[in-house]
């Protein structure tokens, strides 16, 4: 590259318009749980417990491990070593393909299984079951496939997560909505399935969206936030939010996360 001509050094870089930002976000791929597209455009505070690191330590010690709703397999693949038998399930076909390509070379089998279907494994098949952000944990199935003394170790999305975004587009939501995601409710459900909860921690974490493209990509990727979201359907709200970000700075929201570790009693 050459230095700019002196006569034109006063020119400023092109500032992306609303249409530029939206068009870029609409064409970005959404498969898997790789969030690198957001770098420089949005930030999310990370939970203090370091789920991926703790999961990796447990899976290296396990003899048979199952990762439920693995997405594109990115979090599981971050583990340096796996149990001798390691299996993952995923229900969304594009993610099944992505996880298979990522995990098969490392000896991990990926099984296509709808998130609401019974787990396609025999009773007491695994001494470790893990999951990061399952849509809805199937406690009875988790308990069934765990061997006695086995552990479920997971990070879940908590209640009213990123509700600032949801309510900006959909308006005020009932206070009790997503109450089934509350850590206390999940503790009760796990215990009802015969598991003993040995660790449960919750945190509320700050998210910042620096441009409207980041909001559009987020809603295209996390499709359950604003069901049926399209740019055309929400263009006036998107444009208003773009102007607000331009005038006031990042749009701030908060995610809720909890770490849960539950043990199946030994014989």
């Amino acid at each position: 590259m050459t230095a700019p001509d002196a006569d034109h050094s006063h020119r400023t870089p092109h500032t992306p318009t609303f249409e530029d930002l939206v068009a870029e976000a609409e064409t970005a791929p959404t498969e898997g749980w790789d969030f690198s597209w957001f770098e420089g455009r949005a930030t999310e505070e990370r939970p203090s417990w370091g789920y991926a690191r703790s999961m990796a330590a447990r899976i290296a010690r396990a003899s048979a491990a199952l990762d439920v709703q693995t997405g594109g397999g990115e979090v599981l693949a971050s583990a340096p070593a796996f149990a001798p038998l390691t299996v993952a399930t995923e229900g969304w076909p594009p993610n099944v393909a992505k996880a298979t390509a990522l995990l098969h070379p490392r000896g991990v089998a990926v099984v296509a299984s709808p998130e609401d279907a019974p787990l396609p494994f025999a009773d007491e098949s695994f001494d470790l079951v893990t999951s990061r952000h399952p849509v809805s944990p199937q406690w009875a199935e988790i308990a069934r496939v765990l061997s006695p003394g086995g552990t479920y170790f997971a990070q879940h999305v908590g209640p009213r997560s990123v509700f600032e975004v949801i309510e900006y587009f959909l308006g005020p939501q009932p206070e009790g909505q997503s109450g089934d995601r509350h850590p206390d409710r999940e503790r009760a459900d796990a215990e009802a399935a015969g598991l003993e909860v040995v660790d449960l921690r919750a945190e509320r974490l700050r998210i910042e969206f620096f441009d409207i493209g980041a909001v559009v990509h987020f809603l295209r990727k996390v499709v359950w936030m604003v069901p049926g979201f399209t740019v055309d359907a929400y263009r006036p709200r998107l444009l208003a939010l773009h102007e607000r970000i331009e005038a006031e700075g990042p749009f701030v929201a908060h995610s809720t996360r909890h770490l849960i570790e539950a043990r199946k009693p030994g014989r």
Side-chain angles (χ1 to χ4, degrees):
M1 292 180 65
T2 59
D5 186 279
D7 291 338
H8 302 289
S9 59
H10 65 281
R11 289 180 178 172
T12 56
H14 169 66
T15 301
T17 64
F18 170 76
E19 296 296 343
D20 292 336
L21 294 165
V22 166
E24 182 186 4
E26 279 194 293
T27 58
T30 58
E31 293 83 5
W33 289 117
D34 176 7
F35 285 79
S36 59
W37 190 91
F38 289 99
E39 189 168 341
R41 313 186 71 153
T43 60
E44 180 178 4
E45 187 182 1
R46 312 311 299 173
S48 63
W49 47 72
Y51 169 76
R53 183 179 64 252
S54 298
M55 177 273 295
R58 285 167 171 78
I59 212 165
R61 297 193 302 264
S63 59
L66 168 66
D67 192 54
V68 177
Q69 297 179 33
T70 199
E74 299 89 350
V75 177
L76 181 59
S78 70
F82 295 123
L85 172 65
T86 302
V87 183
T89 65
E90 174 55 32
W92 193 44
N95 277 349
V96 172
K98 187 167 186 179
T100 298
L102 187 61
L103 294 169
H104 267 206
R106 296 188 60 195
V108 177
V110 178
V111 178
S113 178
E115 63 199 27
D116 56 352
L119 292 172
F121 307 105
D123 297 357
E124 302 183 3
S125 294
F126 303 97
D127 56 304
L128 177 68
V129 176
T130 60
S131 192
R132 181 180 178 272
H133 303 175
V135 174
S136 181
Q138 294 182 276
W139 294 109
E141 282 295 286
I142 292 164
R144 181 183 66 78
V145 300
L146 275 174
S147 57
T151 296
Y152 176 68
F153 182 77
Q155 179 175 295
H156 291 183
V157 176
R160 299 184 70 82
S161 190
V162 203
F163 256 50
E164 296 92 339
V165 173
I166 295 171
E167 294 191 327
Y168 177 82
F169 289 98
L170 300 181
Q173 300 295 297
E175 189 63 34
Q177 186 167 330
S178 75
D180 57 343
R181 293 182 176 272
H182 194 283
D184 292 343
R185 170 72 178 273
E186 292 203 338
R187 177 196 290 275
D189 290 345
E191 290 173 346
L195 301 174
E196 176 193 0
V197 177
V198 296
D199 193 10
L200 183 59
R201 293 178 251 169
E203 292 182 359
R204 188 170 184 261
L205 305 155
R206 182 181 177 92
I207 297 174
E208 295 185 351
F209 296 94
F210 299 119
D211 67 58
I212 198 63
V215 176
V216 170
H217 186 60
F218 177 76
L219 292 176
R220 290 183 63 238
K221 194 172 183 74
V222 191
V223 294
W224 53 88
M225 286 286 170
V226 178
F229 171 82
T230 65
V231 168
D232 287 343
Y234 288 95
R235 186 171 294 272
R237 292 298 282 162
L238 288 166
L239 181 57
L241 184 55
H242 167 72
E243 292 170 348
R244 173 174 150 186
I245 292 171
E246 292 282 292
E248 301 175 11
F251 179 42
V252 176
H254 296 85
S255 63
T256 56
R257 301 283 185 264
H258 52 274
L259 183 78
I260 186 164
E261 183 171 3
R263 182 177 174 275
K264 183 172 181 175
R267 286 197 177 92

